[in-house]
Every structure is written in structure tokens, then in C-alpha cells.
Amino acid sequence: MANTQNADISSKMDDLYHFDTLINVAPQKDTTNSVRLSPAILERSMSLSWNLRHNAQTDANRQHPDALLQRPAVRPPRVDDTLPLTKYFVSSSHNTYLLSRQLIGSSSAACYTHVLNRNGRCVEIDVWPSSKGLIVNHGHTFSKGVAFSDVCTAIGDSIRPDHWPVLVSLECHVDAEGQIELVRMMRETWGNKLVDGPIEGVEGRLVTPRDLMGRILLMVEYYPATAAGTGEGNADADDGSSSSSSGEEDEAEESSIWPGGRKKKKDVTRISDELAQLGYYARSMKPLSGWLEKEVDDPKHILINISESTVSSLLPHSLIALLDHAERHLRRIYPRGTRIGSSNLAPMQFWRSGAQVVSLNWQNFDRGMQVNEGMFVGSPGWVTRPSARQDSKGAVAKKRMFEGRIVGISGLPPPNGRAGKTFDTYIRTQLLSSENEKEWRSKTVKAQDEPGLGADVLWNGDWEWEFNDDELVFLRLVVSENEFGKDDKLAIFCARVAHLYSGWHILRMLDMGGKASGATILAWFNLIDL
């Protein structure tokens, strides 16, 4: 029975967490014998040269389709590991333990293995007391928990000495006695991987990822002293959220999902000195009123844990203050508590405000997760923050032109119910930037699905966009069925513009679950500095 359950969980892991975005970074040694191109695309690609921008039309650089198939479209740069921690973005998972939806899903330690194996470098643990010991669960919901010890083992086993640091956001809902057991389990399971104080040899400078390779940084809640009568309070209090998104500690005035409507106010769990010691480099603090203007130098290494709603309310008028603050402190953004269907926030908005850790629900390959994949694909889960500095309106000095051309698609899988039939389809190309989004849409073409082969479509369209490049600009291609009502999305491509190769490419398209769809698009990109 247990083996059957483990097999079922592994199957769910493959379905939920395995995204194939790497196929455009490191394509397999495919050839036209293994990847089918439509006759029209095959003919067109045979006539292309690789470097049209320089009009080099010699036989030496004329490309056989096999060369195009093996040419990566996306080129992530090597990441410098010697900068202070505040200088990076970190790929982050929210409610990592959940297999599915927020309110009724099951939990599994295997979720941590899969997220970490995909170079997620920040995971979340919500630990609660139970009759069976410490468990990890989404509190006050119908979701099913998993043993805390199993989660610790899964995290520890997934981290090798050459891995970039892993941040563990710990939401502690156990009393002081339970925290003694909590600390004991983490120390025994993680051993020397757990950072429990200052790193030797870094006196006089800021700690860097290189100092922390293969190590675990625990985010533990820190409570600053508040002078009586100051009126200082939690800036997130009106958001009904704790420092994750579940809102367990601030739910007194919120409606409950449990019968009877409202909960009684609960005392906030206080963190013991023994547990607080383990959060040396990530003392997680809920923002107090006026937090942007205050200097917090004692203790060191304060991390601001704040909701998407609160930060959104500060934009755009406090953008400069947020960016300045992010130079001194880490900031973690968690989704608002109403995202019970595991939908995702738009991470670009928060990256632009300086937030280093933007937590997403990895169970859902929606637009937010597609952009996150575009940001971190091919990286160690940490990428350097852009050097370009925005003003309060989001403008930057560097202007660029993005030219693009879409020829067509080969092997497009049919929409549901259209196998072997015709359907209408089109493609949209979107530039996601700090300005209003730019979009080009092709004409709608009637496609014929050939069972086992898919549909072949030619659009033959191009676009030209000027944009301000803050190094956080993404290209998104979406192929959809044109139908009455809401159009169904069929295939997707999303990449950071700064990492795109110029020239011709055969792009591998993903389905809406993040898996390779088998469809390919012949496209051309060119970036010009203005």
C-alpha cells in the first residue's frame, strides 16, 4: 500500500513540478529525423543563413535545419557568486509542501525534493503541533499534513556542497516546548549544512553566496522591541496575513472557512532564543509602520517579510524608497491570502521594486510562473539583480529596439475535442516590461490536425518595438485557439529578453502545464541599442 502511495506521489510530482523550459537553453542533439518540421518550415529553414544581420550569405554560414534545431534560443549568463546577498533575486516557492490547492490539498515531503532539484532556492515550512508530533501543514484548512522530520530529511538530502544557498522560510506555530524539539530535529538532520551563527572568515565584509555554498539559511521571525505608547504596529495587519500568506496569526477579524464563521483571537507564537539563534542571516521581521524610513542596524541581517498587497499599495510612489531599502535588507514577498486556487502574483512588479525573494505557487504554471521560469532557467536559482536604476516612473536611460518575425508552427497539438478536425488558431507575441505591455497578434488561420502529427500553420508576421530596457523585460509567445467565448491557450514560450540570442531559431513550445508540447516555431529576433 505504501509503495502504491509513493508511486502516486511521484507521478504527481512529475505532473506538477517538472517544467521543460531548459529545452530552449540546452536543446537535445535533435535532427529533422527526430523532430518533425512542416514541409513549408523545412523549405524556409534550408534557405536561411544564421547571421542575416551582417548579410553574410556565404556557404560557410548557411545553416541546415539540423543546426537550427540544435542552436539554443536562450543563453543565461554565468552568475557571480561574490556579491552581497541583497544583490540577487532568488527563485522561491510558496507553501512548498502542498501538492495542489491551498485549502483542500495534500502535503508531501517529496515536494521539497522536486523544488530543490529544479534549483528553487527558497522553500517554505509551516510547522504545527499535532497528536502525532510536529507536522507541516497549511493551518486552519482542510489540507493534509506531513511529518516535519520527513520535510527536514527531504531538504537536507537535496543539498550538495556545490549548491547555492537554500533559504528556508519557517512559519512556527508551536509553543516553546515544541520549539526545543524543532531545533533538535533541524540540527540533527541538517548538521553542518545549517548556518547557526556568523560564518568564520567574513569579518569586515558582507557575506556572499560563495561563503554559503551547500548551506541552509533559516528565516526565523524576529520581534523588535517597541517602546510603549509609540503607536508602532504591523504594516501588514490590514492584509490579514502572517509572514506566509495563510494569515494564521492575524485572522481574528477574518471570516473562517470553518463552520461557525469567525475564529477567536489567538496569541501569537513567540520564538524562543534557541530557535531565533538559527536565523542569524535572515531575521524575518514583519514591517512596522514607517519601516521604509527606519534604519535597522541592530541586530544585523533583518529580512522584511511582507505581502504582495502591502507592497502594491506602496507603488509607484515609494519605488525609490523600496529600491534604497533593498540595498540594505533582504525582502520576501508572499502572495495575498485570497489566492486559494494557487494563482500567482506578477513577480516582475516586485523584482522591479527591489524584492529579492518573490514566492510563487509552483503547483500552477500560469503567467507568473512562466515569467519566473524565464528569469531563473539555466541558473543556480540565484541571479544578479539588474544594474540599471529606475526613477520613480520606472524609466531608464537605455532605449532599445526589438525586431521579431514569426514564420509558423509545426506539430501544434489540437485543442480538446478537435483531434483530427480543423480549428482556428493565432499567435500573440507580448513584450512584458515596466511600460504598458506591447503586443503583436497574427491573423487567424484555419488549421487541420493530422492525428499523430499535429497541425502546421504559417503566419508570416513581424513586429518592431521600442522599449526602455531595465533588464527585467520578457518576451512571451502564446498560441491560442480562436473560438466563441474565451480562447483556449495551446502553447507557450517565455524568456528574458536580455538572454535571447539574436538571429533565427526553432523554438520548442511548452503546453500549458509547462511540458514540451512537441510543437516548434521558426522565429527570428534582433535587439538594437538606440
Side-chain angles (χ1 to χ4, degrees):
M1 182 67 176
N3 289 337
T4 301
Q5 290 176 339
N6 289 337
D8 289 343
I9 290 176
S10 295
S11 176
K12 288 181 179 180
M13 292 296 94
D14 289 339
D15 182 52
L16 289 172
Y17 291 124
H18 178 69
F19 304 142
D20 287 326
T21 40
L22 270 173
I23 59 176
N24 286 299
V25 175
Q28 302 297 312
K29 297 299 182 182
D30 291 325
T31 69
T32 50
N33 293 325
S34 57
V35 175
R36 178 187 168 276
L37 302 179
S38 73
I41 295 294
L42 190 60
E43 180 181 358
R44 180 66 182 274
S45 59
M46 288 285 288
S47 67
L48 296 175
S49 76
W50 206 347
N51 195 355
L52 293 182
R53 185 169 54 174
H54 296 96
N55 294 317
Q57 301 288 344
T58 65
D59 290 340
N61 59 31
R62 297 180 74 86
Q63 299 301 309
H64 189 276
D66 288 353
L68 281 176
L69 280 168
Q70 296 168 20
R71 184 185 188 219
V74 180
R75 177 180 51 187
R78 182 185 175 278
V79 184
D80 183 355
D81 62 3
T82 64
L83 303 175
L85 302 185
T86 55
K87 298 293 187 181
Y88 298 88
F89 295 132
V90 182
S91 183
S92 177
S93 164
H94 171 250
N95 287 351
T96 310
Y97 45 85
L98 286 179
L99 284 163
S100 55
R101 294 167 65 88
Q102 305 290 305
L103 296 184
I104 58 175
S106 297
S107 304
S108 172
C111 296
Y112 292 87
T113 302
H114 281 260
V115 167
L116 292 169
N117 286 347
R118 287 195 47 77
N119 283 335
R121 294 294 96 179
C122 180
V123 295
E124 182 179 20
I125 301 176
D126 287 4
V127 60
W128 296 80
S130 79
S131 59
K132 298 180 180 180
L134 300 179
I135 62 169
V136 175
N137 194 16
H138 198 191
H140 306 309
T141 69
F142 296 103
S143 60
K144 297 179 181 179
V146 60
F148 176 71
S149 58
D150 290 347
V151 168
C152 289
T153 298
I155 292 173
D157 289 350
S158 299
I159 300 173
R160 299 197 309 264
D162 60 334
H163 282 176
W164 281 56
V166 170
L167 294 163
V168 174
S169 178
L170 179 69
E171 290 295 313
C172 178
H173 305 278
V174 300
D175 60 18
E177 184 177 352
Q179 290 176 39
I180 295 173
E181 178 67 5
L182 191 77
V183 171
R184 183 191 67 79
M185 284 187 181
M186 290 189 291
R187 285 190 179 278
E188 288 186 359
T189 307
W190 294 338
N192 291 334
K193 292 180 181 178
L194 177 62
V195 176
D196 61 359
I199 298 294
E200 293 183 7
V202 298
E203 294 84 359
R205 64 173 174 84
L206 297 174
V207 70
T208 71
R210 179 177 292 183
D211 301 318
L212 300 166
M213 289 296 179
R215 306 295 296 275
I216 296 170
L217 297 181
L218 197 64
M219 293 185 195
V220 180
E221 193 151 13
Y222 168 75
Y223 304 99
T226 302
T230 61
E232 290 183 339
N234 185 347
D236 265 358
D238 61 349
D239 191 56
S241 298
S242 73
S243 48
S244 71
S245 69
S246 47
E248 294 92 346
E249 296 176 0
D250 298 311
E251 286 175 329
E253 302 303 322
E254 287 194 353
S255 296
S256 169
I257 65 167
W258 298 101
R262 295 185 181 273
K263 299 181 184 297
K264 294 182 180 179
K265 187 176 180 70
K266 295 180 63 178
D267 292 334
V268 174
T269 301
R270 303 299 294 188
I271 301 300
S272 67
D273 291 342
E274 292 78 12
L275 180 55
Q277 178 185 342
L278 303 185
Y280 183 81
Y281 283 110
R283 292 185 169 105
S284 173
M285 190 173 78
K286 297 176 183 178
L288 300 175
S289 299
W291 63 278
L292 269 179
E293 293 77 27
K294 292 180 180 177
E295 290 290 339
V296 184
D297 297 323
D298 186 21
K300 297 179 179 179
H301 313 302
I302 289 294
L303 175 149
I304 298 297
N305 225 324
I306 188 169
S307 70
E308 70 167 294
S309 302
T310 301
V311 175
S312 295
S313 70
L314 297 173
L315 295 171
H317 58 279
S318 296
L319 175 60
I320 297 302
L322 286 164
L323 288 168
D324 287 341
H325 192 274
E327 293 298 310
R328 306 185 303 276
H329 297 288
L330 291 172
R331 186 185 314 140
R332 175 180 177 264
I333 309 293
Y334 56 86
R336 65 174 186 265
T338 55
R339 293 186 180 275
I340 59 176
S342 294
S343 64
N344 280 307
L345 50 78
M348 291 183 300
Q349 173 187 3
F350 302 101
W351 289 329
R352 287 196 180 94
S353 73
Q356 297 90 350
V357 184
V358 180
S359 299
L360 299 180
N361 296 306
W362 286 41
Q363 306 94 331
N364 192 351
F365 192 65
D366 57 8
R367 176 163 144 164
M369 195 63 204
Q370 293 161 20
V371 170
N372 196 75
E373 284 288 299
M375 170 65 84
F376 292 103
V377 65
S379 79
W382 293 60
V383 298
T384 51
R385 289 172 54 203
S387 57
R389 181 62 185 263
Q390 296 174 308
D391 64 22
S392 60
K393 297 181 181 179
V396 293
K398 192 173 183 179
K399 286 190 173 293
R400 306 186 84 184
M401 172 78 74
F402 187 10
E403 302 173 325
R405 186 176 306 161
I406 298 291
V407 177
I409 192 167
S410 304
L412 176 64
N416 289 335
R418 303 307 300 173
K421 300 178 182 179
T422 61
F423 59 95
D424 294 331
T425 184
Y426 63 92
I427 186 170
R428 288 178 295 144
T429 65
Q430 301 169 327
L431 192 72
L432 313 181
S433 70
S434 60
E435 307 160 289
N436 292 331
E437 292 181 7
K438 302 180 187 297
E439 180 173 300
W440 169 82
R441 173 173 166 162
S442 74
K443 60 186 178 183
T444 297
V445 175
K446 187 171 290 294
Q448 172 67 54
D449 176 60
E450 298 293 340
L453 299 177
D456 301 330
V457 178
L458 293 178
W459 288 298
N460 287 314
D462 49 41
W463 68 87
E464 210 175 73
W465 295 319
E466 287 188 18
F467 66 99
N468 289 320
D469 190 3
D470 62 357
E471 302 176 45
L472 290 174
V473 181
F474 292 79
L475 175 70
R476 186 169 180 255
L477 311 183
V478 186
V479 180
S480 301
E481 178 190 14
N482 190 9
E483 58 179 345
F484 181 76
K486 185 178 180 180
D487 293 348
D488 284 340
K489 298 180 181 68
L490 305 178
I492 190 83
F493 169 87
C494 188
R496 194 174 173 184
V497 168
H499 297 170
L500 285 175
Y501 274 109
S502 290
W504 284 98
H505 303 284
I506 294 178
L507 306 177
R508 271 69 167 184
M509 302 297 289
L510 304 183
D511 64 22
M512 302 316 297
K515 312 297 184 298
S517 68
T520 59
I521 282 181
L522 180 60
W524 175 77
F525 306 131
N526 189 32
L527 285 166
I528 304 170
D529 292 335
L530 299 179

